[in-house]
Amino acid sequence: MKSNILEIKGLKKTFKMPNGHKIEAVKGINFDVKRGEVFGFLGPNGAGKSTTISMLTTQRKATDGEILLDGESLIQHPARARKKIGVVAQHNNLDRGLTARENLIYHARYFGMDMSNANRKADEYLEKFGLADRQHDYVRSYSGGMAQRLKIARAMMHTPEILYLDEPTTGLDPSYRTILWEQMTELNRAGTTIFLTTHYMEEPEKLCDRIAIVNQGELKAIGTSDELKALIPSKNIVSLKLNRLEASYAEAAGRLPGVAKATIQNGILLLFIHDAQPDFNMIIDWTKNLGTELQNISLSTSTLDDVFIHLTGKDFMNHESK
Ligand SMILES: Nc1ncnc2c1ncn2[C@@H]1O[C@H](COP(=O)(O)OP(=O)(O)OP(=O)(O)O)[C@@H](O)[C@H]1O
Ligand SMILES: [Mg+2]
């Protein structure tokens, strides 16, 4: 049994706006992260992911609750906690008036690395993230993707005990996405715990040991991807593209034989089917009776995307017909 590196109890953040409006960004969440795991934190825009990360990384004060890092209160000992943490924030928080290399070296020195170690690591990461030939240019001259790569390199420089990555693939082309995952996996193998938010569902499914799904400041579910998939009515899903769609079709489809549940997402009618082999003829006949034309029908097995839709009622990615 792995020990917990992080224990989060009743964590809450309420923002008070100047006009008196209160936003409950995080509504008292409880969960643990195990030492050495890759933990995915998934939710739609505005779910409270970045706000949670900002509290876990000491950048924002919690309104209420407790955070234990390595068994010690991070809220009471933020300076000690900071030494163990690496963070790739969602926004660009690089020092734009420094060169890439200076950003890395100053960061490493702040974390107590000696100069030769700092230089060695900087060389390694500048090379890996394709920035070696631009390392002496000011960050203000960097493209979005280059800045993102530098943010990732910086967070990895001091081999943190726990690395927070808030939507780290933003702005990265596919080849650098692969490099990010390779570097992340390498750090993880060497002992770093990873806390990752992302909007791309295939990634957490492949990379994460466990995943938490958050929505509107609340934790909706937590578990392995298989455990989460077991939460939806069935793992076989028929997608129907019709040239006209009405809300009543989902209700009617939900009553068809063999159908556990039906919903409409992104203009597609989804039928959750009990059996692996649905009765396509019956479904096609049913669409004919609706007086609408069937443009496409396909069968897929459920993905984390479907779990997400089921738990949050939101489709924050494009649900592609598979
Ligand atoms: N500094 C702030 N002041 C006021 N409200 C804030 C602030 N930061 C975040 N919020 C609010 O808190 C809620 C959660 O925001 P947060 O940035 O944590 O979401 P998120 O899950 O990271 O979303 P995204 O996927 O868009 O990054 C939102 O309603 C947001 O408007
Ligand atoms: Mg965010």
Side-chain angles (χ1 to χ4, degrees), residues 57-310:
T57 55
T58 77
Q59 286 155 345
R60 266 189 208 290
K61 268 178 106 169
T63 306
D64 200 5
E66 182 56 288
I67 301 162
L68 300 182
L69 177 65
D70 269 337
E72 179 175 77
S73 170
L74 169 144
I75 292 168
Q76 278 164 34
H77 303 286
R80 278 218 286 273
R82 240 170 261 141
K83 297 277 177 195
K84 301 176 180 178
I85 292 171
V87 54
V88 179
Q90 192 169 14
H91 58 280
N92 184 345
N93 56 2
L94 293 163
D95 196 327
R96 292 164 54 81
L98 297 179
T99 68
R101 189 173 189 94
E102 286 167 346
N103 265 279
L104 297 186
I105 299 290
Y106 291 173
H107 176 89
R109 298 292 281 163
Y110 170 79
F111 279 90
M113 288 169 70
D114 64 41
M115 204 56 202
S116 70
N117 235 344
N119 275 319
R120 189 179 52 77
K121 276 279 176 191
D123 288 339
E124 180 188 330
Y125 280 121
L126 286 164
E127 190 60 44
K128 277 181 176 149
F129 286 101
L131 297 169
D133 58 344
R134 296 289 303 271
Q135 61 178 295
H136 298 301
D137 291 342
Y138 287 116
V139 166
R140 72 168 80 91
S141 71
Y142 270 31
S143 74
M146 288 166 69
Q148 183 65 11
R149 274 138 57 194
L150 184 60
K151 275 165 62 191
I152 295 164
R154 185 182 58 175
M156 293 179 169
M157 277 290 284
H158 59 293
T159 323
E161 268 189 53
I162 182 163
L163 175 62
Y164 293 89
L165 299 157
D166 196 356
E167 317 267 355
T169 52
T170 305
L172 293 191
D173 66 35
S175 62
Y176 280 111
R177 251 182 229 183
T178 306
I179 290 171
L180 160 66
W181 301 136
E182 282 169 6
Q183 293 308 307
M184 185 191 89
T185 306
E186 198 171 298
L187 268 182
N188 180 244
R189 289 216 179 100
T192 296
T193 305
I194 308 287
F195 190 108
L196 168 73
T197 83
T198 169
H199 281 151
Y200 300 97
M201 282 294 190
E202 320 89 79
E203 288 169 352
E205 201 153 3
K206 276 185 280 179
L207 296 165
C208 295
D209 298 306
R210 288 190 311 142
I211 295 156
I213 293 183
V214 284
N215 191 30
Q216 297 182 348
E218 291 172 355
L219 201 74
K220 292 291 173 192
I222 187 163
T224 63
S225 89
D226 282 346
E227 284 166 353
L228 294 179
K229 283 183 198 167
L231 297 173
I232 60 177
S234 107
K235 63 182 194 336
N236 305 300
I237 299 168
V238 171
S239 303
L240 297 172
K241 178 104 179 78
L242 302 165
N243 73 346
R244 187 167 51 83
L245 201 51
E246 291 174 14
S248 63
Y249 294 177
E251 273 169 52
R255 291 192 293 270
L256 291 172
V259 175
K261 185 185 166 178
T263 62
I264 295 170
Q265 295 294 339
N266 249 5
I268 308 277
L269 180 59
L270 303 178
L271 312 187
F272 294 85
I273 306 288
H274 285 303
D275 299 323
Q277 274 308 317
D279 186 344
F280 278 113
N281 287 330
M282 180 271 292
I283 295 169
I284 290 166
D285 285 346
W286 173 76
T287 62
K288 280 183 189 149
N289 288 334
L290 297 172
T292 171
E293 192 191 328
L294 177 62
Q295 295 173 334
N296 193 308
I297 182 165
S298 61
L299 175 67
S300 60
T301 54
S302 61
T303 61
L304 273 185
D305 217 345
D306 302 308
V307 177
F308 189 85
I309 291 164
H310 178 67

Side-chain angles (χ1 to χ4, degrees), residues 15 17 23 25 43-52 60 90 167 199:
F15 290 106
M17 310 299 276
I23 298 168
N45 290 148
K49 303 180 298 295
S50 296
T51 305
T52 302
R60 266 189 208 290
Q90 192 169 14
E167 317 267 355
H199 281 151

